[in-house]
Amino acid sequence: MAEFSLYATPALGGYSTTHDGIALEELDGLGLISIATPLDSDAALAAALKKGFGAEIPAVGKVASSSDSKIRFLGMAPGQLFAAFEHDGPNAEGAIADKLAGAGYTTDQSDVWVGLRIAGPEVRTVLERICPLDLAPNAFAQDKVARTAMEHMAAIVFREGEDGFVLLTARSSAKSFLHALEVSIANAL
Amino acid sequence: MSTQDNRLSGGLIDRERPLRFRFNGEELQGFQGDTVASALVANGVKLVGRSFKYHRPRGILTAGSEEPNALLTIGEGAYAEPNTRATVAELYDGLSAKSQNHRGPLGFDVMAVNDFLSPFLSAGFYYKTFMWPRAFWEKLYEPIIRKSAGLGALSGEPDPSSYDKGFLHCDLLVIGAGPAGLAAARSAARAGAKVILADEDFRFGGRLNAETYEIDGRPGAVWAEDTAKALAEMENVRLMPRTTVYGAYDHGVYGALERTGDHLPDTDGKPRQVLWRIYTKRALLCAGATERPIAFGDNDRPGVMLASAVRSYANRFAATPGKRIAVFTNNDDGWRTASDLAARGVEVAAVIDPRDGSPRAEIPGASVFMGDAVAGTKGRKAIREITLASGRSLAVDCLAVSGGWNPNLQLTCHQRGKPAWNAEIAAFVPADPLPVGMSVAGAARGALSLQAALTEGQAKAEAALSDLGFKVSGEPVPASSDESFAVTPLWHVKESKRRAWVDLQNDVTVKDVKLAHQEGFLSVEHLKRYTTLGMATDQGKTANVLGLAIMAEQRGISIPEAGTTIFRPPYTPVPIGALAGRARGKDFRPYRLTPSHDWAEEQGAVFVEAGAWMRAQYFPREGETHWRQSVDREVSTTRNSVGVCDVTTLGKVDIQGRDAAEFLNRVYINGFAKLAVGKTRYGMMLREDGIAMDDGTTARLGETHYVMTTTTANAGPVFRHLEFCRQCLWPDLDVHLISTTDGWAQFAVAGPNARKLLQKVVDAEFDISNEGFPFMACGEITVCGGTPARLFRISFSGELAYEIAVPARYGDALIRVLMQAGEEFGVTPYGTEALGVMRIEKGHAAGAELCGTTTAQDLGMGRMVSKKKDCIGNTLSERPELNREDGLRLVGFRPVDKSHALKAGWHFVSKGSPTDMAHDEGWMTSVAFSPSLGHSIGLGFIKSGDTRMGEIVRAVSPATDSDIEVEIVPSHFVDPEGERLRG
């Protein structure tokens, strides 16, 4: 038995509130793994993704799901996917890497990013104060993912439900990002 | 309490909602739906301000955003907003307004003496008058001129209002909600397009609210209200009243200012204004037209008003600007003022039309003077009488003037478009090329009649939508009248004997324009700069065309030949506060916090900004009164036992791929091809030009897996550089990059007891003894009973040292564990100051040495540049100038008199040489007090430094009169053999 043990601290202290009909919460237990396609090996990765997860490689800007709908594959850049899924503990990478069996280079991004879920009927009115993207349902479909910057901070955006979004932002500046969202809610609603 | 003597019946005001307000302390009343200007008109207030230069009494000229005169300070204390146009300021209960630019009361401004000095104060006077003596300009003349001229004053306090910004997207942006804009928005909305309709007014309808036209059998204002209501119910439409689209930018992006709170007594903590960036697929400019005045003698007297403004006040606001009004118009539209006033029971004294022919309308009770003109006015603070060119005089208390209409084409010119002259309406109209995606409809395009506005608005919207692939309905255009706007240009009345004003905001007269001509300022751009015509808050909306027409006359050329000045954003003033938005104070930019930030705060750490990062600078303990005490203690404790520092901020790049080793070989100057798994190596990279870019370590975690660290400051630029190399230079390499900077909480554990401390934390199956885990080893391990971690045996301090990293979520826990485990060794946390002291003691280069001008050679690492392989910067690093024998070298310095404190920035000069640039030999880059040596030490670059050990030179700073002797020494002040870090 080790003398010491380590506990995990959520970047935003497990933030979860509802203001003016907008629910805003920090995602607990987010596993986030980047997958890079080895040079000239797209087919091998596609086969491994199909075999391991029943998923197609999403185009850049699109989201694909595993056959059990538990893993979202986000098309981030040419030759780069993110796998996003619920995962407790620090070893999320294995869940993806083991099934890819070397068909893709994986890097654990779970602690690089903080996930925030924001939802409510007026969610787009709130986000239009900081998000330069057009989030209208017809412009930002359910299967879309995008990288952007809000208040000078990098962000990844994808949808969850009709009036909900998941925003991924860098862990070190997550408090500033949360502040930006709180101010937007207060200002817009 | 005033009686609103000039109130008429009807109008678009809500008489159920009376509002109190104060003007220069006097309590007045108006109604909901009034502007400050219309409420002042209703109360019979004529004098509202003093002019910019001559302090002449001025009244309200217009009823819109083009107002040059009626600029008031609205609000109290820190909320006071100077230069607010009374004509667009919406009245609210309790509003307080003050006039500007007078000393003493508005009615008796002592600065009005300037008006008597006007022969000396004409255009360009200060360029000529205040030339000598030269020194007097800055100290005497300019302050006096500045004090006497001007607009309102800022409160001098921080702005307590809040502001925000945002982003909107639409298929069609309709700018202006007059008849053209409403018809366009209606048509586009029905086609299903995403439409934004923005108007600077708080009430949609534009001129429809001020006129008596009918559309489809309904009064125009009612049609506008009904149309706006129908639009408000459609989900694909966003109505934005109180919103000025102020700029047209690239790719169909528009800037807009929405005044969300200016009309409210209290914004309840919400932003006062929101600055929007609107991304459009198409935009339709329906901004209408602005009436222009005619210049004649004393035409700036309060009570002289644009004819359309008189109609606006009478029809929309039920407030008459006078009780006996004359109309002076050179066009048919101006006659509507006379007929509308007469219909409302206001006495029309006369209509004066310089054109020949028969009267254009029958005005009951009015004398009509065709072929005549107004040549002068009388009255002190308000008009009392007008004099015609024919010599007649008439007693009036208001003169309505119309010189024709200028289309509001400003936005069409924001991308260097030049307008074209349309002789039929004697005005400039938009001309190709328009900003991409923009079209123009209605009066803004020069189609001045109502029917033309409706027809064009709909047609242009339909064209834009068809272009975007929408199916348009092709429904009938609303029907209205097609009234006449026939005009014969008249710019100024030559019979006038007294000064005739062209630009009321800047006090520019016809004479000033003539003077500019006489002195050779012929181009309109020179005219503008010489006379200030068209500058300041109104940007010459009522003055520009008049001024350049008069210049054209002087030069004997046509108006289009004279041309126009360029319009630039913003269309109307945008407060700096709105441009800043919420980026104020601490919210100016985001902060990045380290995983141990909360813990460090608990320790009372003093923080320092390192880029966006907040890093602990030092950790004061009880009894320490000076930062040096804390830093000295942190250094000594680390060197004698063990210290811990959060180094998470260093950039981390995860590098994977079959060709990762080759990639590293090409970006670093030294070889990485043979780095074994489980080993770390220091590397330096150059820019393409051979100058040092960044340094750090790269660890090989697996066959195809590396982790690079960069300096904190260069984490972003290095990543960008690597991506450029990967994607553009060597797309044939199998190499992949992703940043993991934020993902790992990383701590340096340094000092002779570092290993003992870590052995309590690292799980027992991992051997971290000197043999099992030697200097420069790295590995993936577990700590505290199975938590994944990475361990690197690297040292920046020069001590036996490790860097240990855990997933960031465990960072807070790990720093507390390290402190607890280190308690028996007296562990100390150390901040960036101690980090800096120890690296200087050890001679390591950092930001001050990697300053963008130095080479590997200068840094003493010339031999690291591998000649066996190619790398970025290799070739250009071989330039002779970068390889001079007497080139700069990084060496150490210590003061000959040890009591002296060295300073970074000092320059080196040989003993006996003069202190000048010709004898400059280098400079001090970094200094510190070394607790290990007990005196100040420094690093610096000096010519041939490596061959001059022991030489005494002077370190000088002519700026601070410092000049001391320093000795050149090796840069490794502590443990030069590196025994400690290998121990």
Side-chain angles (χ1 to χ4, degrees):
Chain A
M1 190 63 197
E3 190 183 347
F4 303 102
S5 64
L6 299 178
Y7 52 84
T9 311
L12 299 170
Y15 184 92
S16 174
T17 51
T18 301
H19 315 265
D20 295 311
I22 296 286
L24 178 60
E25 58 173 329
E26 180 179 5
L27 292 184
D28 187 25
L30 172 71
L32 197 64
I33 306 299
S34 70
I35 306 167
T37 316
L39 190 69
D40 301 328
S41 306
D42 305 63
L45 179 63
L49 214 59
K50 190 86 197 162
K51 182 163 171 250
F53 306 99
E56 306 290 334
I57 293 183
V60 174
K62 294 285 186 187
V63 180
S65 277
S66 62
S67 52
D68 62 2
S69 302
K70 286 186 174 163
I71 305 174
R72 282 188 180 92
F73 292 96
L74 317 174
M76 300 310 305
Q80 189 188 64
L81 311 177
F82 274 15
F85 50 100
E86 279 186 31
H87 183 86
D88 278 335
N91 293 306
E93 191 174 349
I96 302 298
D98 294 351
K99 289 194 180 172
L100 291 182
Y105 300 110
T106 53
T107 303
D108 199 326
Q109 291 279 301
S110 309
D111 286 49
V112 178
W113 301 86
V114 173
L116 280 155
R117 182 184 289 121
I118 183 165
E122 297 293 323
V123 66
R124 292 176 181 85
T125 308
V126 170
L127 290 176
E128 75 189 12
R129 294 294 172 106
I130 52 171
C131 178
L133 303 175
D134 188 356
L135 298 177
N138 60 348
F140 202 96
Q142 284 288 359
D143 66 343
K144 194 168 160 64
V145 61
R147 297 190 81 138
T148 185
M150 301 186 203
E151 295 286 278
H152 313 289
M153 289 169 275
I156 295 170
V157 185
F158 56 90
R159 282 183 71 174
E160 200 170 77
E162 270 313 300
D163 294 324
F165 293 89
V166 172
L167 311 174
L168 303 180
T169 189
R171 183 177 176 108
S172 61
S173 51
K175 282 185 179 162
S176 292
F177 192 82
L178 176 64
H179 177 69
L181 287 171
E182 289 178 322
V183 173
S184 298
I185 293 169
N187 281 356
L189 300 181
Chain B
M1 180 80 62
S2 151
T3 53
Q4 299 193 55
D5 266 352
N6 287 10
R7 219 30 117 174
L8 304 172
S9 61
L12 301 174
I13 49 171
D14 185 352
R15 285 167 208 263
E16 303 295 306
R17 296 171 68 189
L19 305 172
R20 287 167 303 112
F21 73 105
R22 278 180 305 147
F23 176 62
N24 285 344
E26 190 190 352
E27 181 131 327
L28 300 171
Q29 215 179 51
F31 293 109
Q32 188 72 37
D34 262 326
T35 61
V36 172
S38 71
L40 289 172
V41 167
N43 283 282
V45 176
K46 286 223 165 67
L47 174 63
V48 298
R50 290 281 173 169
S51 73
F52 186 76
K53 199 157 114 185
Y54 300 123
H55 293 257
R56 284 172 63 94
R58 289 285 164 82
I60 297 162
L61 180 73
T62 75
S65 62
E66 70 272 28
E67 177 62 32
N69 282 344
L71 305 180
L72 306 179
T73 297
I74 292 187
E76 300 273 9
Y79 285 97
E81 173 90 349
N83 309 331
T84 307
R85 289 149 294 157
T87 48
V88 295
E90 219 171 320
L91 194 66
Y92 57 80
D93 200 46
L95 180 145
S96 159
K98 290 191 190 76
S99 53
Q100 303 180 158
N101 202 31
H102 48 88
R103 228 173 277 170
L106 175 60
F108 185 79
D109 175 9
V110 297
M111 292 307 288
V113 66
N114 278 9
D115 201 26
F116 297 106
L117 301 173
S118 62
F120 308 104
L121 298 178
S122 56
F125 78 99
Y126 46 72
Y127 304 137
K128 302 170 195 162
T129 315
F130 299 106
M131 299 295 286
W132 184 90
R134 203 185 157 98
F136 276 34
W137 173 252
E138 209 172 294
K139 295 216 160 62
L140 182 67
Y141 301 145
E142 195 189 349
I144 291 176
I145 292 168
R146 282 199 184 281
K147 218 167 171 185
S148 77
L151 301 165
L154 293 164
S155 71
E157 294 173 55
D159 185 350
S161 300
S162 73
Y163 300 83
D164 207 355
K165 292 189 190 182
F167 306 86
L168 299 175
H169 305 261
C170 62
D171 295 315
L172 182 68
L173 168 66
V174 181
I175 304 162
L182 285 168
R186 193 179 77 134
S187 169
R190 287 183 184 168
K194 196 169 167 185
V195 179
I196 293 175
L197 176 60
D199 195 289
E200 59 181 0
D201 204 336
F202 55 91
R203 186 180 186 100
F204 281 179
R207 286 300 302 167
L208 292 174
N209 295 326
E211 306 287 4
T212 49
Y213 301 132
E214 293 202 337
I215 298 176
D216 284 345
R218 277 173 288 172
V222 173
W223 179 86
E225 192 172 9
D226 292 348
T227 305
K229 267 187 196 153
L231 287 169
E233 279 164 19
M234 301 177 78
E235 266 193 9
N236 53 331
V237 179
R238 182 176 186 127
L239 297 182
M240 300 184 72
R242 303 183 177 96
T243 302
T244 305
V245 177
Y246 63 78
Y249 300 95
D250 290 349
H251 312 299
V253 172
Y254 289 81
L257 180 73
E258 184 181 11
R259 288 169 294 276
T260 47
D262 284 357
H263 60 296
L264 303 171
D266 182 358
T267 60
D268 196 20
K270 303 286 184 205
R272 179 193 156 206
Q273 298 178 336
V274 181
L275 195 80
W276 296 103
R277 179 186 295 194
I278 307 179
Y279 297 84
T280 70
K281 290 185 181 141
R282 296 288 183 277
L284 184 55
L285 183 69
C286 303
T290 297
E291 199 171 23
R292 64 190 178 223
I294 298 170
F296 53 86
D298 290 330
N299 58 330
D300 64 331
R301 188 102 52 210
V304 178
M305 195 180 269
L306 289 175
S308 62
V310 172
R311 288 209 294 285
S312 293
Y313 290 119
N315 291 332
R316 174 174 172 180
F317 299 105
T320 180
K323 298 201 165 155
R324 188 176 149 77
I325 301 178
V327 177
F328 175 29
T329 177
N330 65 346
N331 63 82
D332 293 357
D333 183 61
W335 284 76
R336 295 189 67 89
T337 301
S339 32
D340 283 7
L341 286 172
R344 289 187 155 271
V346 179
E347 185 186 348
V348 179
V351 180
I352 302 103
D353 191 330
R355 299 174 296 174
D356 291 323
S358 52
R360 301 306 197 260
E362 181 117 359
I363 311 296
S367 313
V368 174
F369 302 96
M370 299 302 293
D372 208 342
V374 176
T377 69
K378 283 189 181 150
R380 246 171 53 77
K381 289 166 209 159
I383 190 168
R384 210 176 60 228
E385 188 182 295
I386 55 172
T387 314
L388 306 190
S390 56
R392 284 189 199 86
S393 290
L394 292 163
V396 298
D397 61 357
C398 172
L399 175 65
V401 182
S402 177
W405 291 83
N406 292 326
N408 291 329
L409 48 74
Q410 285 84 347
L411 264 65
T412 68
C413 302
H414 283 180
Q415 286 159 41
R416 300 298 282 189
K418 283 267 185 192
W421 183 253
N422 178 331
E424 197 191 328
I425 60 165
F428 282 103
V429 294
D432 289 333
L434 297 175
V436 172
M438 182 194 277
S439 48
V440 189
R445 209 186 62 81
L448 296 177
S449 82
L450 175 54
Q451 190 59 54
L454 294 165
T455 308
E456 277 199 2
Q458 181 166 330
K460 295 279 180 123
E462 286 174 355
L465 291 180
S466 307
D467 211 23
L468 292 175
F470 284 90
K471 244 183 129 80
V472 292
S473 59
E475 61 197 301
V477 176
S480 72
S481 56
D482 213 358
E483 67 287 355
S484 165
F485 276 80
V487 59
T488 303
L490 175 63
W491 310 110
H492 72 113
V493 178
K494 298 189 178 63
E495 292 86 348
S496 299
K497 299 205 170 56
R498 294 173 59 89
R499 277 174 295 166
W501 304 83
V502 175
D503 184 333
L504 278 76
Q505 180 150 97
N506 295 295
D507 274 352
V508 179
T509 64
V510 172
K511 202 177 125 198
D512 291 322
V513 177
K514 289 181 178 171
L515 183 67
H517 173 253
Q518 184 187 315
E519 302 198 336
F521 297 96
L522 304 182
S523 138
V524 289
E525 297 287 359
H526 289 155
L527 170 66
K528 174 176 177 176
R529 272 80 190 172
Y530 191 61
T531 64
T532 69
L533 171 78
M535 294 186 180
T537 68
D538 71 347
Q539 288 289 294
K541 290 187 178 63
T542 57
N544 280 342
V545 173
L546 212 55
L548 62 92
I550 294 166
M551 177 56 91
E553 247 172 43
Q554 292 297 312
R555 295 177 60 189
I557 58 174
S558 70
I559 293 172
E561 279 175 296
T564 60
T565 52
I566 278 286
F567 294 112
R568 296 182 185 87
Y571 174 65
T572 53
V574 176
I576 298 292
L579 295 169
R582 51 168 93 161
R584 292 172 62 164
K586 283 257 178 203
D587 296 334
F588 178 61
R589 65 171 185 188
Y591 282 100
R592 301 179 75 182
L593 303 180
T594 64
S596 65
H597 187 85
D598 288 350
W599 172 85
E601 256 183 352
E602 289 166 25
Q603 306 308 307
V606 173
F607 292 95
V608 60
E609 291 182 22
W613 288 100
M614 296 294 288
R615 297 189 74 181
Q617 191 176 12
Y618 54 96
F619 295 81
R621 289 214 174 142
E622 218 178 311
E624 291 173 350
T625 54
H626 189 277
W627 66 271
R628 262 276 311 283
Q629 292 175 309
S630 311
V631 174
D632 288 358
R633 173 186 48 75
E634 288 169 19
V635 171
S636 302
T637 307
T638 302
R639 294 233 183 270
N640 293 318
S641 179
V642 60
V644 177
C645 182
D646 191 326
V647 293
T648 302
T649 60
L650 272 76
K652 306 177 197 76
V653 186
D654 201 62
I655 304 174
Q656 297 196 58
R658 297 185 298 271
D659 301 317
E662 173 61 18
F663 179 78
L664 291 169
N665 234 9
R666 295 185 192 181
V667 296
Y668 277 131
I669 57 173
N670 45 327
F672 270 77
K674 290 182 185 146
L675 182 67
V677 174
K679 289 288 179 195
T680 307
R681 185 168 290 173
Y682 173 83
M684 166 163 288
M685 48 183 90
L686 305 181
R687 304 191 310 218
E688 192 64 77
D689 63 0
I691 300 292
M693 179 165 77
D694 200 56
D695 69 348
T697 60
T698 290
R700 186 170 193 179
L701 295 176
E703 272 310 309
T704 58
H705 190 189
Y706 295 77
V707 175
M708 175 188 284
T709 62
T710 71
T711 58
T712 299
N714 283 331
V718 167
F719 190 86
R720 193 162 61 219
H721 169 71
L722 297 179
E723 274 294 348
F724 171 77
C725 295
R726 180 184 86 89
Q727 294 183 37
C728 305
L729 302 183
W730 312 310
D732 54 323
L733 293 187
D734 180 44
V735 61
H736 308 270
L737 310 169
I738 192 160
S739 169
T740 54
T741 304
D742 283 19
W744 294 90
Q746 194 150 322
F747 298 96
V749 181
N753 288 320
R755 183 181 299 120
K756 285 187 200 149
L757 190 160
L758 280 176
Q759 274 167 339
K760 294 173 71 176
V761 176
V762 173
D763 289 337
E765 59 264 43
F766 299 97
D767 176 12
I768 61 167
S769 68
N770 200 29
E771 298 70 37
F773 203 80
F775 183 56
M776 297 312 265
C778 70
E780 293 179 290
I781 59 165
T782 61
V783 296
C784 300
T787 302
R790 289 172 177 174
L791 190 66
F792 309 87
R793 185 153 167 210
I794 50 182
S795 177
F796 198 45
S797 57
E799 296 299 324
L800 163 66
Y802 299 81
E803 287 188 14
I804 182 164
V806 290
R809 70 185 77 175
Y810 298 113
D812 182 75
L814 183 61
I815 184 66
R816 293 172 201 273
V817 163
L818 291 172
M819 286 300 125
Q820 216 183 325
E823 213 174 287
E824 62 176 291
F825 311 110
V827 65
T828 182
Y830 64 93
T832 53
E833 284 298 332
L835 182 85
V837 171
M838 288 192 276
R839 72 100 188 160
I840 294 168
E841 285 181 337
K842 195 61 192 163
H844 287 313
E849 288 76 32
L850 296 161
C851 60
T853 63
T854 51
T855 64
Q857 188 88 273
D858 300 344
L859 290 159
M861 295 186 216
R863 268 177 295 177
M864 258 177 74
V865 186
S866 168
K867 301 294 171 197
K868 285 186 252 162
K869 60 165 188 117
D870 196 11
C871 72
I872 289 185
N874 194 352
T875 304
L876 287 178
S877 75
E878 286 171 11
R879 285 178 285 168
E881 180 60 26
L882 301 186
N883 292 280
R884 290 164 60 119
E885 280 294 309
D886 64 346
L888 296 171
R889 290 292 178 277
L890 183 66
V891 290
F893 294 89
R894 68 175 175 221
V896 170
D897 176 346
K898 301 255 171 56
S899 68
H900 278 133
L902 302 178
K903 290 237 163 53
W906 279 351
H907 276 246
F908 302 119
V909 181
S910 288
K911 283 171 78 171
S913 293
T915 309
D916 57 22
M917 282 304 291
H919 296 84
D920 179 31
E921 296 195 41
W923 71 98
M924 192 90 80
T925 53
S926 302
V927 297
F929 177 83
S930 166
S932 317
L933 301 175
H935 61 80
S936 186
I937 58 171
L939 297 177
F941 292 103
I942 190 166
K943 286 178 180 171
S944 311
D946 51 343
T947 62
R948 295 168 70 178
M949 291 302 150
E951 189 182 325
I952 310 274
V953 295
R954 289 159 53 218
V956 301
S957 166
T960 56
D961 249 349
S962 317
D963 190 338
I964 69 159
E965 291 188 342
V966 295
E967 184 187 347
I968 300 175
V969 294
S971 59
H972 306 291
F973 292 94
V974 168
D975 186 28
E977 305 305 322
E979 282 162 13
R980 294 189 195 177
L981 50 83
R982 291 189 174 79

